Amino acid sequence: MESDEEADEGLSSPASGFRITVEPGTAGIRLDQFLAQAIPSVSRASIAAAIREGRVLVDGECRKNSYRLRAGETIRGVVEKPNILHVEPEKIDLTILYEDDFLLLLSKPPGLVVHPGSGNLRGTLVNALVHHCREIAGVGDRLRPGIVHRLDKDTSGIMLVAKQENIHRNLVDCFKNRRLTKEYLALLHGIPRERRGRLVAPVGRHPVNRQKMAINHITGKHAVTNWEVLREFGGRYSLVRLVIETGRTHQIRVHMASLGCPVAGDMVYGAHRDNSVFPRQMLHASRLMFAHPVTGELLDHSAELWPDFREVLEALEGREETP
């Protein structure tokens, strides 16, 4: 895929008017889901916004996104892709593990913010992706084009990016319905009591500090993390493999901290530990397995540990060997 050095001027799509009659076979479907299927060239976010803003009418009336359609109803409206001028393409080196016309897999370095936001309008992964492949700019959310899932700034490793709108929807559903396998490697303070285990505990906003997540049995969402201890370092640290069945915000960091073994270098959930020797939180998305949305081929790709992570492990190993 050729890159394009020009700015993303003129990439916003014109408004699109439509009139659709609900057939008996599609009755009972949510309004937003129905339109996402009926107008595949427009993102779900744009469709949801059009419904909220009253630009979509069902038999002449405004309805909610969750409205269940009835056979014979007529839907009229206007939807448009949001303007994406906010995302500027930038030439930033990417470590690409796999790429075809539909998607790509890359290894995100630590310290790289995934998408533009307050205080980070440039220098993000999305800026690099839009430079690498112009078409990505029109896929999905306007400030997170192509992004199927996210990693924290200081978490390194494998990420999946969609290059077409219908592929983006398919992959988002794949994550939502757990039709893939996600593995991580983490260096932890301490050693879990069991060599391997499965933690089921809901994760939600911290009841006091809204900037943090926590195990929350009242408002938290179902979250499952499996772990296996791969190596111990002097009884002080452990390298673990983690397979997550759900993808809640900060899930691994919260779950491991709840076991009394926070991720090394984590200044949020392991602030009470000595993290001075770690360059960042020692968490790496190492492997992703899923069926290709077009070919059905099983894609199984891994991302090697970044140098800073390897250096920490080598230092711990060297400390063990010192008499």
Side-chain angles (χ1 to χ4, degrees), residues 25-136:
T26 54
I29 298 177
R30 284 172 53 114
L31 175 59
D32 54 357
Q33 294 176 346
F34 176 85
L35 290 181
Q37 297 173 12
I39 316 174
S41 61
V42 179
S43 71
R44 287 186 178 180
S46 296
I47 288 171
I51 295 171
R52 288 195 304 270
E53 295 166 6
R55 291 186 278 116
V56 175
L57 302 178
V58 180
D59 281 352
E61 296 185 23
C62 292
R63 298 292 187 181
K64 294 182 179 180
N65 280 279
S66 59
Y67 176 74
R68 299 286 177 175
L69 294 168
R70 301 174 183 175
E73 290 180 321
T74 298
I75 308 171
R76 291 186 175 86
V78 176
V79 296
E80 59 185 18
K81 284 191 175 182
N83 192 307
I84 57 173
L85 296 177
H86 299 291
V87 179
E88 296 289 341
E90 292 183 71
K91 185 173 177 55
I92 301 173
D93 290 338
L94 295 173
T95 302
I96 295 177
L97 307 174
Y98 172 89
E99 183 174 13
D100 60 22
D101 291 337
F102 308 102
L103 55 87
L104 65 85
L105 286 158
L106 58 88
S107 182
K108 186 186 87 67
L112 182 64
V113 176
V114 171
H115 59 80
S118 178
N120 290 295
L121 297 179
R122 299 182 65 85
T124 73
L125 175 62
V126 162
N127 296 107
L129 287 170
V130 172
H131 178 276
H132 175 73
C133 177
R134 184 185 181 112
E135 289 78 10
I136 288 177

Side-chain angles (χ1 to χ4, degrees), residues 6 13 20 29 39 50 67 72 92 113 146 160 170 181 195-196 202 210 213 222 249 255 257 319:
E6 296 181 359
S13 298
I20 307 172
I29 298 177
I39 316 174
Y67 176 74
I92 301 173
V113 176
L160 175 60
N170 181 291
T181 300
R195 298 290 302 181
R196 57 172 53 87
R210 305 301 290 175
M213 306 301 285
H222 177 69
T249 302
H255 274 181
R319 189 181 305 175

Side-chain angles (χ1 to χ4, degrees), residues 187-206:
L187 181 67
L188 307 181
H189 283 286
I191 303 168
R193 292 182 179 179
E194 299 177 353
R195 298 290 302 181
R196 57 172 53 87
R198 182 172 184 266
L199 177 59
V200 182
V203 174
R205 288 291 170 188
H206 192 285

